[in-house]
Amino acid sequence: MGLDLRQAPVLVVGAGIMGAGIAQVAAQAGHAVQLFDMRPGAAADAVDKLKTVFDGLVARGKLSAIEGKATFGRITSIAALDDARGVKLVVEAIVEKLEAKRSLFQQLEALLEDDAVFATNTSSISVTAIANGLRYPGRLVGMHFFNPVPLMKLVEVVSGLQTDSSVAAAIFELGKAWSKVPVHAKSTPGFIVNRIARPYYAETLALLLEQAAAPQVLDACLKAAGFRMGPCELMDLIGHDTNFAVTNSVYDANFFDKRFVPSLLQAEMVAGGLLGRKSGRGFYAYPQGAPALPTAVHKVPAAAHGVTVHGDGPLADLLAAAAGQLAAQGCGPARDRESTWTGLCIDGACLVLTDGRTARQTASDMRVANVTVFDWPVAQPVPAGAALAYAVAPGATEAWHTQSAAWLAALGFHPLQLADAPGLVVARTLAMLINEGADAVLQGVCSPDAADAAMKLGVNYPAGPFEWLTRWGAPAVIGVLESLDGAYRGERYRVSPWLRAARPIVGGSA
Ligand code: NAD
């Protein structure tokens, strides 16, 4: 048995929102916890507040009165670091500044035994950099909790270049003992969650910048894909200043890699004080929030002479079932399972699942004027009336504009028209989330399973990037990314070499 911290007396430094949560979780796992804050009285105040928290847990039946009293009794505040006694694990949750964290750990190294483990809750600073200057840098590891600590299951266990593997392993085991789901990560900008999540915001900001759709339309489409909050309402909640700062720090730390470039639109909002909920105005005005979606009354599709369902797999089956039920047809649609595309051909006009090409490009390649591309309806079974983005080729007739929306509505979607942007919104965003996950794995930041767990537990994604990849298939994801790359040029949409290597093993079907 290696290093075991499950009985270790814990010192939590920093009694703010994170430190108080960490102290609570450690005490609930049975540790004796000492809490220190530089601001006089802050640690004692935090302990008082924890009393209310435990009283609440007892009142709600989550803890017995005896457990509540015993758990609270394990937490003490200390007024000076020198008062710390018997500490075997420090969890630091102070201000997010490299110099402050470095000097704290150097001070602790002088005060504590040589075998005490140092964990930092930093969300953005290099763990390797924090350890620089320690006599025993191998003892320092990242233990990145998510807010609110007692509720969020994920802990990123972040190893710097010098972190001892036994220390990372002991923190991983400790995470489990604290009823969390730990994942190993390498110290790189944004670790796992804050790195892989960037495109969720960035692709919507890019679409807004080129006026592809209104914020509430993009939010609705991504929520229909299973995300709990759309990117616009989420940025409004986080605060544009905070979200922009994280994006900037990941961009800077990656030596201005264009993949992480911040948005001019968000810079302008921050400069103007449109910070979201906290300032009363972001993408939306508060307290009202997002305005209602455009409601259009769609016609029943006109009777068609011939309808063919193209493609194979669950989405083609779904389209076939829905098209077969359309009374206007009177008979079931034909199937072309060998087709190179997925969608419907209706009397020569084409309703095509996006493969990343614009509707204009698709129409030109197919040599058909009446083409509509629609987004990936990723949540399956597709909930009735799920928002779905679509774009119509510029050369299409007015009648096909009306008909393609009518068909999408009759197939059970709530069609929302976007400008003719490559990859629309869900396909584009998911392809970029998968690509970022693939690059993280390529660079040894985490395993695919760790990335999936991190995104589901750290930011409540409906699925992890590698789960989407398995369903969708590497060829389709690469196709969307190559279309984006072709449309925009530059580094942003370059395909991760990991994805190209995964191509033969991850086949998938929409
Ligand atoms: P906070 O401002 O609520 O609390 C920080 C506390 O640390 C304050 O009480 C402050 O007085 C104290 N402090 C500052 N410098 C100190 C020092 N040198 N010695 C002792 N105490 C000191 O901040 P927070 O939101 O709890 O964040 C703390 C850390 O956790 C940061 O590194 C942050 O990046 C990270 N983090 C925050 C979140 C979040 O959502 N808030 C999530 C994950 C990680």
Side-chain angles (χ1 to χ4, degrees), residues 325-351:
Q325 282 177 2
L326 290 179
Q329 303 317 309
C331 59
R335 295 283 308 244
D336 179 356
R337 294 180 190 274
E338 305 299 317
S339 179
T340 52
W341 56 278
T342 299
L344 295 183
C345 186
I346 305 153
D347 287 346
C350 298
L351 202 51

Side-chain angles (χ1 to χ4, degrees), residues 13-20 22 36-40 42-43 81 92-97 100-101 103-104 107 120-125 143-149 194:
V13 187
I17 182 153
M18 297 303 286
I22 294 164
F36 170 74
D37 197 286
M38 185 179 82
R39 193 162 53 80
L81 277 180
E92 167 274 310
I94 67 166
V95 61
E96 185 73 345
K97 291 201 170 131
K101 290 187 192 287
S103 75
L104 171 73
Q107 195 184 345
T120 170
N121 184 44
T122 181
S123 33
S124 62
I125 301 173
M143 192 176 193
H144 185 211
F145 291 89
F146 289 74
N147 187 15
V149 178
N194 277 333

Side-chain angles (χ1 to χ4, degrees), residues 32-58:
V33 180
Q34 300 163 67
L35 184 58
F36 170 74
D37 197 286
M38 185 179 82
R39 193 162 53 80
D45 286 352
V47 174
D48 285 348
K49 281 196 198 128
L50 283 172
K51 170 90 175 68
T52 318
V53 170
F54 288 120
D55 286 348
L57 290 173
V58 170

Side-chain angles (χ1 to χ4, degrees), residues 340-366:
T340 52
W341 56 278
T342 299
L344 295 183
C345 186
I346 305 153
D347 287 346
C350 298
L351 202 51
V352 182
L353 171 69
T354 181
D355 58 11
R357 288 174 298 168
T358 57
R360 174 197 291 273
Q361 187 66 47
T362 309
S364 157
D365 294 347
M366 291 177 118

Side-chain angles (χ1 to χ4, degrees), residues 283-498:
F283 286 119
Y284 307 124
Y286 293 92
Q288 300 88 329
L293 286 173
T295 48
V297 179
H298 297 288
K299 296 191 170 164
V300 174
H305 298 293
V307 177
T308 305
V309 177
H310 285 249
D312 211 357
L315 180 60
D317 291 347
L318 187 122
L319 293 175
Q325 282 177 2
L326 290 179
Q329 303 317 309
C331 59
R335 295 283 308 244
D336 179 356
R337 294 180 190 274
E338 305 299 317
S339 179
T340 52
W341 56 278
T342 299
L344 295 183
C345 186
I346 305 153
D347 287 346
C350 298
L351 202 51
V352 182
L353 171 69
T354 181
D355 58 11
R357 288 174 298 168
T358 57
R360 174 197 291 273
Q361 187 66 47
T362 309
S364 157
D365 294 347
M366 291 177 118
R367 297 174 191 278
V368 174
N370 285 333
V371 166
T372 291
V373 292
F374 62 93
D375 213 346
W376 188 27
V378 64
Q380 285 186 10
V382 175
L388 189 77
Y390 72 98
V392 185
T397 59
E398 270 312 306
W400 174 246
H401 270 262
T402 314
Q403 279 300 303
S404 54
W407 268 92
L408 287 171
L411 291 168
F413 299 108
H414 178 175
L416 293 166
Q417 190 168 5
L418 257 61
D420 193 14
L424 295 166
V425 53
V426 172
R428 170 184 181 139
T429 304
L430 264 50
M432 285 295 278
L433 290 169
I434 293 168
N435 203 35
E436 204 47 60
D439 245 18
V441 171
L442 177 74
Q443 294 165 9
V445 174
C446 59
S447 66
D449 285 349
D452 283 347
M455 301 318 286
K456 288 191 285 185
L457 298 173
V459 272
N460 294 318
Y461 281 10
F466 294 91
E467 290 170 337
W468 284 315
L469 174 63
T470 304
R471 272 184 59 195
W472 202 2
V477 178
I478 292 170
V480 170
L481 293 167
E482 284 180 338
S483 291
L484 285 159
D485 193 32
Y488 294 105
R489 307 282 162 161
E491 287 292 290
R492 182 177 173 124
Y493 298 102
R494 68 181 186 270
V495 177
S496 168
W498 190 94

